[in-house]
Each structure stands twice: as structure tokens, then as C-alpha cells.
Amino acid sequence: MGSVSSYFGQLCGNEKKGEDERHLRANDRPFNLSYRYANNAIKTSKYNIFTFLPLNLFEQFRRLANAYFLFLMILQVIPQVSSLSWFTTAVPLILVLSITAVKDASDDINRHKSDKQVNNRMVDVLIDGQLKKEKWMNVQVGDIIKLENNEFVTADLLLLSSSEPLNLVYVETAELDGETNLKVKQALTVTGELGDNIGALASFNGEVRCEPPNNRLDKFKGVLSLDGQTYALDNDKVLLRGCTLRNTEWCFGLVIFGGPDTKLMQNSGKTTFKRTSIDHLMNVLVLCIFGFLAFMCTVLAIGNAIWEFNEGSVFTAFLPREQGVDSGLSSFLTFWSYVIVLNTVVPISLYVSVEIIRLGNSFFIDWDRKMYYPKSDTPAQARTTTLNEELGQIKYIFSDKTGTLTQNIMTFNKCSINGKAYGELLDFAGNRVEITEKTEKVDFSWNRLADPKFDFHDHSLMETVKDGNLEAQAFFRLLALCHTVMPEEKNEGELYYQAQSPDEGALVTAARNFGFVFRQRTPETITVVEMGRQVVYELLAVLDFNNVRKRMSVIVRSPEGKLTLFCKGADTIIYERLHPSCNQLKGVTTRHLNEYAGEGLRTLVLAYKDLDESYMDGFKRRHHEASTAMDGREERLDELYEEIEKDLMLLGATAVEDKLQDGVPQTIEQLAKADIKIWVLTGDKQETAENIGYSCNMLREDMKEIFIVAATTAEGVKEELENARRKMCPDSVDKPSVIKERAGLFWLQKTETVQDEKVDGDYGLVINGHSLAFGLEKNLQLELLRTACMCQTVICCRVTPLQKAQVVQLVKKYKQAVTLAIGDGANDVSMIKAAHIGVGISGQEGMQAVLSSDYSFAQFRYLQRLLLVHGRWSYLRMCKFLRYFFYKNFTFTFVHFWYAFFCGFSAQTVYDEWFITVYNLVYTALPVLGMSIFDQDVNDRWSFQYPQLYAPGQLNMYFSKKAFVRCMMHSCYSSLILFFIPWAAIYDTVRDDGKDIADYQSFALLAQTCLLFVVSIQLCLDTHYWTAVNQFFIWGSLAAYFAITFTMYSNGMFFIFTGAFPFIGTARNSLNQPNVWLTIFLTSLLCILPVVAFRFIVILLRPTINDKVRYKMRKEALPASAPPKRHKHISTRRSGYAFSHAQGYGDLVTSRKFLLRPLKSRPALVIQTDSPLAQNQPQHYRTIKEEPEGSQSP
């Protein structure tokens, strides 16, 4: 379709060229229309009333199965070939196509309604000097529009002016990234002066040159040219479509991108289609079945040729051949006839049933109250219905740490100020004291602006601040100034902080309670209430955070005129930039950092630097040049920041606790027992991640060894990995054992599998980001994989989002194992999309991970229920369904094969045509669905008690190519019994009254009745968990069979539709004979008895874990769960880095005006003294109390 439209576009000269740069002029529609930019109308629908039928049918027939059944139906309308009436294939095919078409039509009608609703929204547009109401779809690039509070943003806009001071606007971006916290945007000062003056806005003729349409939500580069001046534009000046205006009376914006060019629509691309391993196996098996079908048809066609040659001439007297038909042509036609007769080896109902089963199991996940989190009113959600059984086969879990294993709710716990540690609770002997609810809290009542929810117990810190200690006051002054938090004060004294990261909010709140209250900010100033006195600092610059810098700084001028740079960041980054005079203090602070990291706390180091006027004059000029550059803007700014952030003076360090979620250690312990390997991929520091690993039982003291890989060269990484591997397995060879195979449809896909190596004992591996970068290179990745897979636990620290995805892809590529990735933040999206299964946790970091995931819930602990219960049951049910489905259909079809040898290979069917039509749709559909939706080998409590029950799914024990072959052999045996026993029983048999019963129709009825009884009894044997629904479906299907049979074989149906119902009277004449029922009983017994005997012997001699647990379940009640072991690990390690910050917020809180302001000088902020380590003093402290229903940190 796209190529056709492109071709005609070229013919007409309308081919739209890809944009290199967007150029537009405000209030000049003719100029902007000349570029043929897209208008603001959107279209997400796929069809219209004319294209629906052809396009939908085309899409459906692209599926191999549907095309196959269409081909069969075409064969059936050819008289020379058809051995069955066309309706036997047409009815189920039309039913399936119709159900799918109705579903697609319903979805598309909803899309049409949504498009219409959005396109017809009204907005104020400035046209010909007047504000006029226009539909969204009629808005053009270059128009100026007015938005009011709580309105959706119409298109991607350049913010011009707003009703708020300093041209700020507040937007909610939930539709873009799922985050409901408000974000701040700010217009340029030069456009902000336009205000709501319609005349000034109508005469505004600024030109914008910017990047072409793209899907980067966090990036925008452009320049505004106005009156000969050029102004830099970035993401903070742009309002994106999909946002909602909040707390802002009005604002005006210039349309830059419209409709399909907006970043929202650019991001609405197709999600990667994930398929389960069973799906891939089914494709291969279906292909094999097609081959087997062709083989059977060929055998029967050859048989027909031989029979026609030897015996056929005898029958030509009363069955003359058609003219021109000889034995060769007859054999060819017979081949296609048997393709039709034997097509039930791949019934169309298979695919419909699979989707119904998956949908049913998805509902069980959605409805599970034990995965509902009442605190945030968040139920579990199966966001996809096609991957359920894959949940029962997970071998590797890749987890984020912050917000996934931990709560991402930060509490300010401890700090180190000028060499003195605060926050520990000690008695007079200097020993740590356990905290209880009765422990006295610090009284903040003297501070009317204090946060009443903030708890702290170290009274000495409060006394130090109150006593006027310069270092302590400078410490909290830095926390109150160096951040990008936005304050909101609805009532006098009721401050609410909008922090973009929980740890930053915790630090600013701590400063607030200790007397340094961040009260208000403007782009040029920060207002702080210091110990009750209001102080206004002039904000000259924000040196923003990014993932490379790992720090942020602010430059402020105090009321006394002193210039100071305040900086906070990771210890390793700040330490590199300290003045040499801080060495002694750095050593003391490092010891404190090690203690904090040993307790799993997240840390930051604080420092400052005094600046002079002469240096700032040059800096502001170069900063202006760098910030307005179109090319290399970030690189030039980074160079400037590196230059100014050196020779810093150390103030101290903060320690923030990110508590474990409820049940994390127990969950990880359960998953480890299920032989699931857990890898943690986190951006945190190695020491923090390592100690969280101990806290949640991933790393244990009883492990033989925990290897640390931290080399900074490729050779060093290789050596450390090899040493670790040889310690775990001294006999391992240098080169890994890689098995190369072909897989996939038509065996076109090449796979390489790295074999697992046996290891005696449990080991752990911790690797940092630098080493991981070398390990992921092509020449080292197999060594990394070998070593990591020999370990029970792997922790990768300081990894980027891209590296997370690369690790997942490495395991997927070389282990051929099913992977699951779980995370809660935007930085986890790439990992979630890369894994076979993606799980999103709806936590503190917004909803981006959830929006990209396949399953979502609120707490990590629900993962064990998702896998060990729902996943295992779904896998078990799907495998049972496939085994039984193939069994019943192969049995059904093989009877035709044996019958061919007795009907001259004439492609005559054993069964009545109506039985063939409704066998899979009515008689056997509901019973197998009942089993496949409700069955469970053991209940959920026993599944938790014995996680080892999960292991068979990882090994594909329940359904594989071997299981499929066994199923075929079973079907072959059953079909032999089902054909030859009724055939022998009815051969030359007479009724009680002496009349002959050995006619074709009576045999057909007997054979199909035997078949239905056997497959029904087999289903009963396969069912472990009986419900009223199962009973109803089994007995209901048998009752339906007899009801339909007696109806179709009645006189009335024959008289109405003589040609369609030829089996008149067969049912009542046959089923009233005792020998018929005896034959049904004998056939069922011979088919089922060997199965029962075989299963009995297997359970007796080689019982599986399932058999043992089911036996135990029958014999005894479920034992109470043992209390979880708690592992406490305190070690001296380097600190953990706590800044979960995002780049780009710094520029929001500042203005370019600072570059034009004169600078004053002032005296030093803090007189630096090398204080010795403070003496031990009694200190009172306890961990900050959780909210109700809070977690317990082990």
C-alpha cells in the first residue's frame, strides 16, 4: 500500500521528502503551507467502510493456517476431487474469520470514535488578529493558539507566554509517560512579554528553525529568530501534545509540529510482537504435520493407483469411469481428495482454542485478589494475552533494584558533617541501641515550617545546628539550594515539594526540618528561610545533572554579594575535584561512607567553592555562546562545567535509606528454589547494590565465594572472569562448548547454544559498568556469559539502560532460555522490551515501565505468585491441551487412513459428514477448554510450598517434539482399536430380529460413537482438578452428541433436506442393539486400559516431583511455612550513589537573564578548618518510621 501511494505521489509530483530541518514563521499560513507540513488531524484507524472487508481478509489470510483452510475449501468445490461437502471446512473457517473480523471491526470503530473525538475538539486559534474557535484538525503549523487551565495541549507548541509569574506553566504528562506529578515549563523572556495582548501576538513574526519530527520526548533543539536576535530553544520551552495544562489560567503557544508529526504520535509505533516458545514449536510441528499429511496422501494415492490397476476394471461395468480418466489421473485426484479427508490433523479450531485458553488464564491473573495492592488500589494486570504459558518456563530474571526490589521511598537517615557522623543511636558506652516506637524523636515544633511527617532521633544534630555550627549550617544550606525541586504553598506554612526524584525530595525535606526551609524559587532567585530568617539568593546558573557527570551544581549570590558554587554528587566524582587541603577530612568522610554503604544506604557527597567576579565575567560569556549553539551544545557546556567544578571544599555526605519492599527476600528465596537465576541490573554503586543483595537473600554468607569483577581494561576483565570460572570449575576448558543448530520455520534460523557447566556449590558475581562494557564486546561476551551462568546470582552495577538490554539479549541469544525482565522506571523500558516477558511495577518512578510491559503489578513479591502459580498452571494447561488436542484429532484422522485399505482408496469417509463438521466445534470443544482453563495439578499453597514443581517447565518436559511423537504413537494405537474392533464386531453381524446390520451407515455411527467415548474418557484421565464446569461440559457434550445424532438421523430431517441427511433411521436401528453397546465398551476398555497401566507403572517406578507432591497432598495437610531466614551483612564498603536524577531539570529553574547581570563580591562562606574526628557522644537515632502498611526491611 505504501509503495503504491508513493508511486502515485511521484507521478503527481507530490512526493514528500524527508525533512532535514523544520522552518516556520508565526502567523504566516501561506509561508508554512509551502512546506506541505502535516496538519493537526490524526488517524489511528486502519480501515474505512470500503476497505474493511478486503484489507481484513487479506490480513487474516496472511496467517498460514487460514490460507491452508481456504485452499482446502477450494479443493472441496471441485467435483472430481471433493470427497467431503464444502461446508465441513467452510462452516468453521467462516466462523473463525467472522469472529476475528468482528473483533477487528470493533477495535477499529473505537479507534474511529477516538480519532473523531480528538480531531473535533475545539481550541482558540489566532486568525486575522482575532481569537476564533477552531477544530483541532484544522490547526496548522505556525498558528498561535490559546490554552486554558485543564485543557489538553493541542499540538507540539513553543510556549510564548503564560498567566503565571515568570512565564511558567505546569503540565501533567500522564498520557506521554504515565507520570502524574506536575512538570514545569518556561517561556523565553522575550516572548513572555507578549502576555495576552492579542495585538502584540498577532503581529509576532518570529521564525523557528528546529529539528525535524522525531520520537525523542526528552530532547528538542531549535532557535527562534526575532528582530535580528537569536534565542536558543530546548525541551523546557516546548509543550507536547498529550500533556494537560494544570494550575495555569492561560498560555499562548506557537504550533511547531501537528498531528502525525507530534512526538506523541511519533512514539505510537507498533510494539514488538512477542511469541512464546510453544508458539514457535507449534509452527514447526504444524509444518511437520503438513509433511506427514502429504506422506499419508501419497501412500493412499499410490494404493489407489495399484487398486485401480488390479481391481478397478471389475467395477467399471456398474461404476463406469469418466471419459479420459485412467488409473494415473484417478490416483492424482485421489491425492487431493485425501488431503481434504485427512485435513483434521490440523483443525482450524486449534488456533481459536489456544487464544480462548490464553484469554481465560489472563483473566485469572487480572482477578487474583492475592496480587492486588490495596495501598495504591493497584490490581495485577495481564497487558497481553499471548504469553501466559511462557511464565511457566522462566529460567533467568533480570531485575532493576531501585523501586523494584526497594520501595523508592527515601528517608534521610544519617549524615557526616565536617568529619562527625550523625544518625547513630548510641548509649553512654558507645554501643548501638535498638530502636523502638518509644524512642524519643527530635522535636521540630520550634520550626513552624517543618514537615510533620519527618522523623529523626539524633538530638545532637539539631543541637549542633542551633548552636550556630558553620559547617552544619552550610551543609543544610547546600541541601536547601542545590536541587531542582519546585515548591507549592497552598496555605500559609503548608509546603509541598514537587521533586523529580524521591531522594532529592528527602534531602530538601531534611534541610527544611533542620531550619533551612526552601520556600520559593524563581528563574533568578531562591528564597530560603534560614533558622527563621528569610534569605533571598540570586540564582546565577544551574549546572545540570546527567548520567555522565553524576553531579549537579548551582551558582548563587548571597544578599551580602558573595558568589558560591554548591555541588553534590557521587563520591568518586566529587573526590576527584576536591582541593588538596581536604585530604584529611576526605579520609574520615570515606570511612563514614563505607559504613553507610555497608548498611545499604544511598549516599551523596556535598562540596562548595567560592568564586570571584573576574572569573564569572568570562564564564557567563562562554556559557551564553555554548547554550545558544545548535551543534555540540551539550559537549561545550560539559567542558565549561568541568572547568568550574574543581578545587572544591568538602562539607560532608548524606545517607538516604531506600527500604526493601515487603516480601522481597522470601520471594527471591522461593524463586531460587525453583532454579530460576536472578540477575540484578542497576545504575547504583557496586557497594550499595551488593549490600541490598545481602539484605534480600540474593547474596548469602553460605555461598562459597562472591567474585568481584572491576577491572578497567579488557585484558583485566578477561583475566578476572577466567580466574572466577576456574575456581568454580577447575576442569573447564578454555573455549566454551557451543552447539550450533537450525531452528524455526523451515529451519532457516541458526542458533548457537552455550552449554551449562556443572558447578559444585553456590557462587555470586558482581560486575561494574566499566567492566561490563568490556565484557559485552564480541571477543569477551562468551566468557562473561559462561562465568555469569555458573553463578546463582549476578549483580551488574552502574549499568546504562542500553547495557541492560544488551545483557538480556546476550542471554537470549546463547542460552536459548526464557527470560523475564522486571523494572519500574523509564530506564528499564529497553530491558523490558528485550526480554521474552516484560513485567512493570507501578511504583514511584511513573508508569513508563508498566506501559511497555506485558504484565504489571504493584509489588515485587507478587512475582512469585505470577510465576509459581499462574505461570506454572498456564504452562501445564497449555501443554495438556496440546497433547490431548493432537491426540483426539490424530486418532480421528488415522481411522480414515485404515479405512482407506477397505474402501478401495476411494477417499470415502468413515464418519457422517455432519459428525466431521461438528466434531471439533461442538462435541470435543468445551470439555477440552474446561480442562485447559480450570485444571491444576496442585493448588497454589502447595505450589509455594514446593517451588521445585516449577522445574519441568524450564526443561520443556510437558510438551516437546518427543511428547508430540509419543502422542502420535498413542493416537495410532487408539485408531487401530477404534477401527478394527468395530469393523470386526459388525462384520457379517445380524440384528436380534435376524436382519443385516453390516451396512456402511451403521458402521460409521458405531465408529464415531466409540471415538467420542474414548476421547471423553481420555480427557477424564487427564483432568486432575474437577469442577462443576468440567462435569457439565463432559456430560453435556455426550448428551449433545446423542441429541444431535438422533435429530439428524430422524425422518423429519430426511424429508426436509433429503440430500443433506442421508443417515435416516441409523441411530434408532443401531443403538438399540446390545452388541453395539458391548462393542463400545470393549473398544473403550482396550483403548484406556493400557494408558492406565502405563501411567501406574511410571508413577510406581519413576515418579516425578508432581506425582510425589500430589501423593503428599492427599496424605497430609499443608505444613505451615517456616519463618524466613534473615541475613544481616554489615561490611566496610565504599558508598552507594543516591542520585536518581534525570537530566534537563536544571534549565527549567533558571533564566538566560543571569548572563547579563553585574556580579558583586562577598567574603568567604565557610571558614575551612581541618577538624579532628569528633569524640563519641551519646546520640539518639532511629530509622524513620514507615507509613501504615510499610515494609519491614530485613
Side-chain angles (χ1 to χ4, degrees):
M1 292 290 290
S3 59
V4 173
S5 60
S6 173
Y7 172 73
F8 282 109
Q10 289 176 354
L11 285 181
C12 303
N14 293 330
E15 177 71 358
K16 183 178 177 180
K17 296 179 181 177
E19 286 185 57
D20 295 323
E21 179 185 73
R22 175 149 293 201
H23 182 203
L24 60 102
R25 185 182 298 154
N27 294 312
D28 193 344
R29 278 196 172 185
F31 175 82
N32 299 323
L33 286 171
S34 66
Y35 288 95
R36 299 196 183 109
Y37 295 138
N39 65 13
N40 202 42
I42 63 164
K43 181 188 175 189
T44 59
S45 57
K46 294 165 64 176
Y47 315 108
N48 60 39
I49 195 167
F50 300 108
T51 62
F52 173 73
L53 200 58
L55 277 182
N56 187 261
L57 287 175
F58 174 72
E59 285 182 1
Q60 292 205 57
F61 284 122
R62 288 173 67 185
R63 297 172 190 158
L64 183 63
N66 288 346
Y68 167 68
F69 288 109
L70 178 66
F71 172 69
L72 281 181
M73 195 175 76
I74 293 169
L75 285 180
Q76 284 177 294
V77 297
I78 302 173
Q80 290 82 1
V81 172
S82 179
S83 51
L84 280 172
S85 300
W86 59 271
F87 56 76
T88 57
T89 300
V91 170
L93 178 62
I94 291 171
L95 187 66
V96 170
L97 294 177
S98 300
I99 291 172
T100 308
V102 168
K103 174 181 169 292
D104 291 344
S106 173
D107 291 345
D108 207 57
I109 287 169
N110 290 332
R111 284 192 286 265
H112 271 286
K113 287 179 179 177
S114 175
D115 290 348
K116 187 176 180 181
Q117 179 190 1
V118 171
N119 287 332
N120 289 319
R121 286 176 182 165
M122 304 302 290
V123 67
D124 290 319
V125 183
L126 190 59
I127 301 174
D128 299 329
Q130 293 183 341
L131 280 176
K132 296 181 181 178
K133 289 284 185 184
E134 277 284 355
K135 292 180 178 179
W136 277 27
M137 60 193 294
N138 297 329
V139 172
Q140 302 286 344
V141 170
D143 287 351
I144 291 177
I145 64 175
K146 179 184 180 182
L147 298 175
E148 296 183 347
N149 194 30
N150 296 326
E151 285 188 351
F152 289 104
V153 177
T154 309
D156 288 356
L157 310 176
L158 169 64
L159 180 61
L160 297 179
S161 61
S162 85
S163 58
E164 300 304 295
L166 306 156
N167 311 310
L168 295 173
V169 299
Y170 301 91
V171 292
E172 182 183 284
T173 60
E175 200 170 321
L176 288 173
D177 57 17
E179 297 184 17
T180 54
N181 55 315
L182 299 185
K183 303 200 172 46
V184 185
K185 304 286 184 177
Q186 183 185 20
L188 289 167
T189 306
V190 66
T191 60
E193 293 167 354
L194 299 171
D196 59 351
N197 185 328
I198 301 300
L201 287 163
S203 60
F204 177 72
N205 63 350
E207 292 191 17
V208 173
R209 291 180 181 273
C210 66
E211 60 190 14
N214 60 72
N215 61 4
R216 296 189 298 273
L217 294 173
D218 58 341
K219 294 279 187 185
F220 180 81
K221 286 185 182 179
V223 291
L224 170 67
S225 301
L226 182 64
D227 300 331
Q229 297 290 321
T230 301
Y231 304 92
L233 303 177
D234 54 29
N235 203 45
D236 308 322
K237 313 281 189 299
V238 175
L239 303 182
L240 299 181
R241 179 176 181 140
C243 300
T244 307
L245 201 64
R246 301 288 189 204
N247 300 341
T248 307
E249 188 178 341
W250 54 260
C251 72
F252 284 88
L254 172 67
V255 178
I256 299 175
F257 301 122
D261 291 342
T262 58
K263 291 183 183 283
L264 174 68
M265 298 305 295
Q266 293 278 316
N267 272 284
S268 61
K270 293 181 180 177
T271 307
T272 307
F273 181 62
K274 296 182 178 181
R275 304 185 68 179
T276 67
S277 55
I278 283 185
D279 273 334
H280 293 296
L281 178 59
M282 273 176 58
N283 280 343
V284 173
L285 292 181
V286 167
L287 201 65
C288 293
I289 290 170
F290 285 157
F292 184 66
L293 174 64
F295 169 74
M296 286 196 297
C297 293
T298 303
V299 170
L300 297 179
I302 293 171
N304 176 265
I306 296 170
W307 189 89
E308 285 286 350
F309 182 78
N310 293 332
E311 308 288 342
S313 58
V314 178
F315 293 88
T316 54
F318 57 91
L319 280 177
R321 290 175 178 159
E322 292 185 22
Q323 192 171 358
V325 175
D326 57 9
S327 60
L329 180 58
S330 173
S331 173
F332 174 76
L333 295 176
T334 300
F335 175 88
W336 296 109
S337 297
Y338 271 112
V339 168
I340 296 170
V341 172
L342 304 179
N343 79 81
T344 45
V345 285
V346 190
I348 193 168
S349 57
L350 171 67
Y351 297 94
V352 181
S353 302
V354 164
E355 294 307 316
I356 292 173
I357 293 164
R358 286 172 172 167
L359 185 65
N361 286 315
S362 297
F363 280 131
F364 288 147
I365 293 172
D366 293 342
W367 295 338
D368 192 342
R369 291 184 181 181
K370 294 180 181 177
M371 294 171 69
Y372 169 73
Y373 189 56
K375 191 172 180 180
S376 62
D377 188 28
T378 307
Q381 186 180 11
R383 297 174 55 83
T384 179
T385 60
T386 58
L387 302 173
N388 296 332
E389 66 269 17
E390 197 97 307
L391 291 170
Q393 298 181 276
I394 304 298
K395 182 66 177 176
Y396 291 89
I397 292 177
F398 301 92
S399 174
D400 178 38
K401 184 186 78 67
T402 307
T404 303
L405 301 177
T406 58
Q407 297 180 27
N408 205 19
I409 298 175
M410 310 298 176
T411 54
F412 180 83
N413 268 18
K414 301 180 182 181
C415 61
S416 170
I417 302 176
N418 200 36
K420 185 176 187 320
Y422 298 92
E424 281 292 351
L425 179 61
L426 305 174
D427 60 16
F428 285 94
N431 300 317
R432 292 186 184 182
V433 178
E434 186 181 355
I435 305 300
T436 67
E437 290 292 330
K438 297 179 180 178
T439 306
E440 185 183 2
K441 301 175 184 176
V442 174
D443 182 13
F444 294 109
S445 60
W446 61 273
N447 181 358
R448 66 183 183 87
L449 294 174
D451 184 350
K453 295 179 182 177
F454 182 85
D455 291 342
F456 204 74
H457 295 78
D458 187 348
H459 294 266
S460 65
L461 179 55
M462 189 73 261
E463 291 163 5
T464 302
V465 175
K466 280 186 173 181
D467 289 344
N469 181 286
L470 290 177
E471 291 87 354
Q473 292 195 353
F475 181 91
F476 286 112
R477 185 178 292 115
L478 186 152
L479 293 181
L481 292 171
C482 185
H483 55 78
T484 57
V485 173
M486 299 300 295
E488 188 177 350
E489 191 168 1
K490 294 181 179 178
N491 301 315
E492 178 68 24
E494 291 184 14
L495 275 171
Y496 177 72
Y497 291 145
Q498 286 278 0
Q500 59 150 330
S501 63
D503 34 15
E504 186 160 66
L507 295 176
V508 178
T509 302
R512 168 184 174 181
N513 278 58
F514 282 99
F516 287 77
V517 184
F518 167 56
R519 188 77 180 267
Q520 186 181 0
R521 80 154 68 245
T522 72
E524 289 89 10
T525 64
I526 297 178
T527 302
V528 179
V529 178
E530 297 185 354
M531 306 304 290
R533 182 174 65 91
Q534 182 164 303
V535 181
V536 179
Y537 290 89
E538 185 179 352
L539 178 62
L540 302 179
V542 174
L543 282 55
D544 202 7
F545 168 89
N546 66 34
N547 286 321
V548 178
R549 286 168 42 75
K550 299 287 188 187
R551 64 191 184 278
M552 78 163 289
S553 301
V554 295
I555 301 173
V556 297
R557 180 186 280 117
S558 72
E560 294 80 22
K562 182 177 178 185
L563 286 171
T564 310
L565 178 144
F566 289 111
C567 182
K568 67 180 181 184
D571 55 1
T572 51
I573 301 294
I574 301 294
Y575 280 0
E576 293 171 359
R577 291 160 176 79
L578 290 179
H579 192 274
S581 64
C582 299
N583 286 343
Q584 183 179 347
L585 179 59
K586 182 169 74 172
V588 176
T589 305
T590 300
R591 286 199 293 274
H592 294 156
L593 287 171
N594 292 338
E595 292 173 11
Y596 299 155
E599 296 169 23
L601 302 178
R602 295 155 63 93
T603 61
L604 283 177
V605 171
L606 313 183
Y608 77 97
K609 176 184 180 181
D610 293 319
L611 303 172
D612 56 57
E613 294 284 351
S614 58
Y615 179 80
M616 274 303 294
D617 288 337
F619 177 81
K620 65 186 181 183
R621 175 178 50 78
R622 288 179 292 153
H623 187 278
H624 175 67
E625 292 172 357
S627 63
T628 55
M630 278 294 285
D631 297 323
R633 184 184 300 179
E634 284 85 359
E635 292 78 5
R636 293 176 65 176
L637 285 173
D638 283 344
E639 289 177 13
L640 271 178
Y641 296 166
E642 283 287 340
E643 178 188 305
I644 198 170
E645 292 171 325
K646 61 184 180 183
D647 292 333
L648 303 174
M649 305 302 292
L650 180 62
L651 273 176
T654 63
V656 173
E657 181 179 12
D658 185 6
K659 292 191 174 184
L660 284 177
Q661 290 187 11
D662 282 343
V664 166
Q666 295 88 337
T667 299
I668 289 174
E669 193 172 359
Q670 286 284 85
L671 295 175
K673 287 179 181 175
D675 198 26
I676 297 174
K677 295 188 176 181
I678 303 174
W679 294 21
V680 174
L681 311 177
T682 178
D684 266 346
K685 275 202 67 173
Q686 173 185 319
E687 292 79 7
T688 305
E690 191 177 336
N691 284 283
I692 290 291
Y694 277 104
S695 300
C696 57
N697 288 354
M698 292 179 61
L699 299 177
R700 301 184 303 278
E701 297 287 4
D702 59 359
M703 282 184 164
K704 281 197 169 182
E705 191 167 349
I706 294 166
F707 302 104
I708 310 292
V709 178
T712 54
T713 63
E715 292 77 14
V717 171
K718 183 178 181 181
E719 184 180 348
E720 290 183 359
L721 289 172
E722 287 178 346
N723 291 340
R725 175 170 54 79
R726 291 193 181 104
K727 280 187 180 179
M728 289 186 283
C729 185
D731 301 329
S732 67
V733 294
D734 289 340
K735 287 190 176 182
S737 172
V738 180
I739 298 177
K740 296 185 178 182
E741 294 177 315
R742 286 188 174 272
L745 205 59
F746 301 109
W747 290 267
L748 297 176
Q749 181 185 345
K750 295 179 180 178
T751 63
E752 295 178 276
T753 307
V754 175
Q755 293 293 94
D756 286 331
E757 298 177 57
K758 290 186 179 180
V759 177
D760 184 22
D762 289 343
Y763 294 87
L765 176 70
V766 179
I767 181 168
N768 66 30
H770 291 297
S771 303
L772 185 63
F774 291 116
L776 289 171
E777 290 177 359
K778 195 167 185 179
N779 58 334
L780 272 183
Q781 60 183 12
L782 286 183
E783 185 63 48
L784 169 67
L785 186 70
R786 285 179 74 191
T787 307
C789 289
M790 292 165 80
C791 300
Q792 181 65 32
T793 298
V794 178
I795 298 178
C796 304
C797 316
R798 291 191 181 277
V799 294
T800 65
L802 178 62
Q803 284 178 326
K804 289 184 178 185
Q806 288 173 333
V807 171
V808 174
Q809 286 162 349
L810 178 65
V811 174
K812 280 177 67 178
K813 181 179 178 181
Y814 287 108
K815 297 306 290 186
Q816 308 303 322
V818 183
T819 59
L820 179 146
I822 180 168
D824 75 320
N827 60 332
D828 304 315
V829 169
S830 56
M831 171 176 76
I832 284 171
K833 287 185 174 180
H836 292 98
I837 303 280
V839 177
I841 289 185
S842 48
Q844 303 292 316
E845 294 187 19
M847 298 287 287
Q848 261 187 299
V850 170
L851 295 174
S852 303
S853 67
D854 305 305
Y855 300 88
S856 68
F857 39 71
Q859 295 280 289
F860 181 84
R861 68 176 182 268
Y862 298 147
L863 182 62
Q864 64 173 325
R865 187 166 182 85
L866 182 71
L867 300 186
L868 302 184
V869 178
H870 291 288
R872 202 178 67 80
W873 282 350
S874 294
Y875 173 69
L876 186 75
R877 291 163 180 166
M878 183 59 71
C879 293
K880 270 193 176 184
F881 165 78
L882 291 172
R883 290 201 306 266
Y884 176 76
F885 205 91
F886 283 125
Y887 164 76
K888 75 181 180 69
N889 282 286
F890 271 106
T891 304
F892 175 91
T893 308
F894 281 161
V895 174
H896 282 300
F897 184 79
W898 308 128
Y899 181 61
F901 292 89
F902 293 83
C903 69
F905 305 96
S906 60
Q908 185 180 9
T909 58
V910 178
Y911 317 113
D912 171 25
E913 286 186 354
W914 285 106
F915 179 83
I916 294 171
T917 305
V918 296
Y919 175 72
N920 280 307
L921 290 179
V922 179
Y923 299 152
T924 60
L926 291 180
V928 71
L929 285 179
M931 179 190 71
S932 307
I933 291 175
F934 298 107
D935 198 51
Q936 45 185 269
D937 54 348
V938 297
N939 62 30
D940 54 347
R941 294 183 304 145
W942 285 91
S943 297
F944 282 136
Q945 187 68 23
Y946 292 94
Q948 298 86 350
L949 288 167
Y950 191 81
Q954 298 168 326
L955 302 173
N956 289 315
M957 287 176 61
Y958 292 146
F959 190 73
S960 60
K961 292 171 185 173
K962 286 183 180 178
F964 176 72
V965 171
R966 285 197 297 269
C967 178
M968 284 183 64
M969 293 171 64
H970 182 197
S971 297
C972 186
Y973 166 77
S974 295
S975 65
L976 284 167
I977 300 294
L978 283 166
F979 175 75
F980 285 103
I981 296 296
W983 174 80
I986 208 168
Y987 188 71
D988 285 340
T989 303
V990 294
R991 290 164 49 88
D992 293 344
D993 55 7
K995 294 180 180 177
D996 190 9
I997 196 177
D999 60 277
Y1000 161 72
Q1001 293 181 341
S1002 299
F1003 172 70
L1005 177 67
L1006 178 57
Q1008 65 197 36
T1009 306
C1010 289
L1011 171 71
L1012 200 59
F1013 270 88
V1014 167
V1015 296
S1016 297
I1017 297 170
Q1018 182 68 45
L1019 183 76
C1020 296
L1021 287 179
D1022 288 343
T1023 302
H1024 286 139
Y1025 185 72
W1026 284 94
T1027 66
V1029 177
N1030 295 77
Q1031 297 276 6
F1032 175 75
F1033 284 167
I1034 289 281
W1035 297 111
S1037 295
L1038 289 172
Y1041 166 70
F1042 286 110
I1044 292 171
T1045 299
F1046 276 100
T1047 302
M1048 287 185 173
Y1049 296 177
S1050 66
N1051 296 6
M1053 294 299 290
F1054 176 75
F1055 290 137
I1056 299 170
F1057 305 103
T1058 305
F1061 299 101
F1063 278 48
I1064 180 172
T1066 305
R1068 62 177 183 266
N1069 288 331
S1070 296
L1071 295 178
N1072 64 356
Q1073 297 299 306
N1075 62 339
V1076 169
W1077 288 103
L1078 185 62
T1079 303
I1080 293 171
F1081 174 75
L1082 179 62
T1083 305
S1084 301
L1085 196 66
L1086 289 174
C1087 284
I1088 298 304
L1089 204 57
V1091 176
V1092 174
F1094 176 77
R1095 291 185 182 182
F1096 176 77
I1097 293 169
V1098 168
I1099 290 176
L1100 204 63
L1101 300 180
R1102 296 179 59 187
T1104 63
I1105 178 72
N1106 298 62
D1107 298 327
K1108 293 175 182 176
V1109 174
R1110 290 182 65 232
Y1111 177 78
K1112 196 169 186 178
M1113 184 176 67
R1114 287 195 296 269
K1115 292 292 183 184
E1116 60 187 75
L1118 180 69
S1121 300
K1125 298 177 183 177
R1126 296 180 60 149
H1127 299 271
K1128 187 64 179 174
H1129 182 84
I1130 301 293
S1131 65
T1132 304
R1133 288 183 173 81
R1134 296 297 304 278
S1135 62
Y1137 173 51
F1139 220 28
S1140 63
H1141 214 67
Q1143 181 179 358
Y1145 269 67
D1147 294 337
L1148 282 180
V1149 296
T1150 122
S1151 167
R1152 290 177 56 252
K1153 284 186 174 182
F1154 81 91
L1155 298 169
L1156 310 175
R1157 301 274 178 98
L1159 303 173
K1160 303 173 187 175
S1161 60
R1162 66 167 181 170
L1165 170 74
V1166 176
I1167 302 170
Q1168 174 67 29
T1169 57
D1170 288 328
S1171 306
L1173 183 62
Q1175 300 295 320
N1176 277 337
Q1177 297 179 11
Q1179 297 180 18
H1180 304 283
Y1181 163 75
R1182 67 157 295 199
T1183 303
I1184 293 174
K1185 185 175 65 180
E1186 288 247 45
E1187 296 291 326
E1189 277 196 52
S1191 306
Q1192 293 181 354
S1193 181

